[in-house]
Amino acid sequence: MTRERSPDHPSVLVVEDDAGISAPLVTALGFLGFDAHTVATGTEALTAVRDRRPDAVLLDVVLPDLDGTEVCRLLRAAGDNTPVLFLSARRSVADKCRALALGGDDYVTKPFDLTEVSARIRALIRRSRDTLPHPPLGYDAPVAPRRLRAAGVELDVDTREAWCQGRPVRLSATEFALLKVLMENTGRVVSKGDILDSVWKYDFQGESGVVETYVYYLRRKLGDSGQSLIRTVRGAGYLMNAEAVPTTEKANIGGGDGSWGVGGVAGRDRGQPIQRS
């Protein structure tokens, strides 16, 4: 089943087993201009995403059957890049990083401000639509695929595909957007503020740690263990180094099902704090 997407009333799937939260949330989202629907289990969520094709998913972590992070992992493993915003009472850095590592695009803790959630949903949907191919403007002006290349990494802006040393790399929508910004500015320093503006498209209120987290995940997937490909410029931001050569044998080429496993971290790293960039 396919659905005609409306730019004025984007569709949002709310995955929440507590009716005391989901019912008023769906009603409020409706007043804010969203076409909102709700399901109560992870299994129902997977079916609803497949059948309804929502523009975004609001996903609780604790569900009666599947963990919300497992739902997200299964979506990404199936090649579904629908933006996922986690809503959870879990506040630890480890929980947030695990959700992001398994393909989540954003994470908000309960209790939450509905205005902020609405802004974040719209930002995720806007970013997702911005990466879709644009139709040609006329018959005499066909649009050629745009590919960005740097240091053995290649990015197709139209198809949202990525390769490292010729091998495909599976990226979430947020990872793709971040890598695109860095590659478009290869050889130049991009500040955290500029990255937040370009990738997240709204004010994170000083939570620039999300940039560090996603840079870390990109380095893991690109085999950049020595941080020579994506360099940290202390006090300034990040720089894509055109002269670097990623170590592809250490890269997480396949995405969430490979060396990351269900926990989102390679086995030898479980229980250790995630390094900051």
Side-chain angles (χ1 to χ4, degrees):
M1 173 181 175
T2 59
R3 179 184 56 79
E4 186 70 23
R5 296 181 183 271
S6 168
D8 298 322
H9 300 282
S11 175
V12 176
L13 177 67
V14 177
V15 186
E16 170 64 66
D17 64 318
D18 186 344
I21 295 176
S22 62
L25 179 56
V26 166
T27 300
L29 288 172
F31 281 117
L32 291 172
F34 294 96
D35 178 17
H37 303 270
T38 184
V39 296
T41 70
T43 302
E44 290 174 330
L46 293 172
T47 300
V49 171
R50 181 193 65 205
D51 294 344
R52 290 184 174 273
R53 308 304 303 165
D55 291 296
V57 178
L58 297 187
L59 181 59
D60 190 14
V61 173
V62 179
L63 297 171
D65 53 351
L66 299 175
D67 186 277
T69 54
E70 176 67 5
V71 173
C72 187
R73 187 190 72 83
L74 290 172
L75 288 175
R76 299 303 185 237
D80 192 303
N81 288 318
T82 303
V84 172
L85 169 61
F86 282 97
L87 295 176
S88 176
R90 296 179 177 177
R91 296 174 172 271
S92 73
V93 173
D95 285 324
K96 294 178 182 179
C97 289
R98 182 171 185 266
L100 296 175
L102 291 178
D105 295 287
D106 205 347
Y107 194 106
V108 175
T109 56
K110 300 176 182 176
F112 51 82
D113 181 89
L114 186 58
T115 302
E116 178 187 4
V117 169
S118 174
R120 291 180 182 241
I121 295 171
R122 293 189 185 279
L124 290 177
I125 293 174
R126 183 169 60 248
R127 184 169 73 246
S128 177
R129 289 175 175 172
D130 284 347
T131 60
L132 294 175
H134 296 286
L137 297 177
Y139 294 106
D140 296 329
V143 177
R146 282 207 301 137
R147 292 207 175 192
L148 304 174
R149 297 176 177 86
V153 179
E154 188 170 354
L155 207 64
D156 191 310
V157 176
D158 290 336
T159 65
R160 299 177 63 190
E161 295 176 286
W163 299 266
C164 183
Q165 299 296 320
R167 300 172 65 186
V169 181
R170 181 179 296 168
L171 301 175
S172 70
T174 303
E175 291 166 343
F176 181 92
L178 173 57
L179 183 57
K180 178 175 176 286
V181 169
L182 292 174
M183 292 186 69
E184 286 176 335
N185 293 278
T186 297
R188 296 193 297 266
V189 176
V190 186
S191 71
K192 289 182 181 179
D194 287 340
I195 290 174
L196 286 172
D197 289 341
S198 299
V199 176
W200 280 267
K201 299 184 186 296
Y202 59 87
D203 184 8
F204 252 83
Q205 299 179 345
E207 297 180 29
S208 60
V210 71
V211 177
E212 297 176 346
T213 299
Y214 270 96
V215 168
Y216 170 78
Y217 294 139
L218 268 184
R219 285 171 172 160
R220 286 291 298 264
K221 289 192 175 183
L222 298 176
D224 187 26
S225 58
Q227 301 184 17
S228 61
L229 177 61
I230 302 176
R231 289 173 45 197
T232 299
V233 181
R234 298 297 177 187
Y238 298 94
L239 179 147
M240 188 81 176
N241 183 10
E243 306 300 324
V245 179
T247 308
T248 54
E249 65 269 19
K250 294 182 180 180
N252 182 23
I253 298 295
D257 289 303
S259 60
W260 287 88
V262 174
V265 185
R268 65 180 180 277
D269 293 332
R270 290 192 181 97
Q272 298 180 5
I274 291 180
Q275 73 177 52
R276 305 303 262 168
S277 53

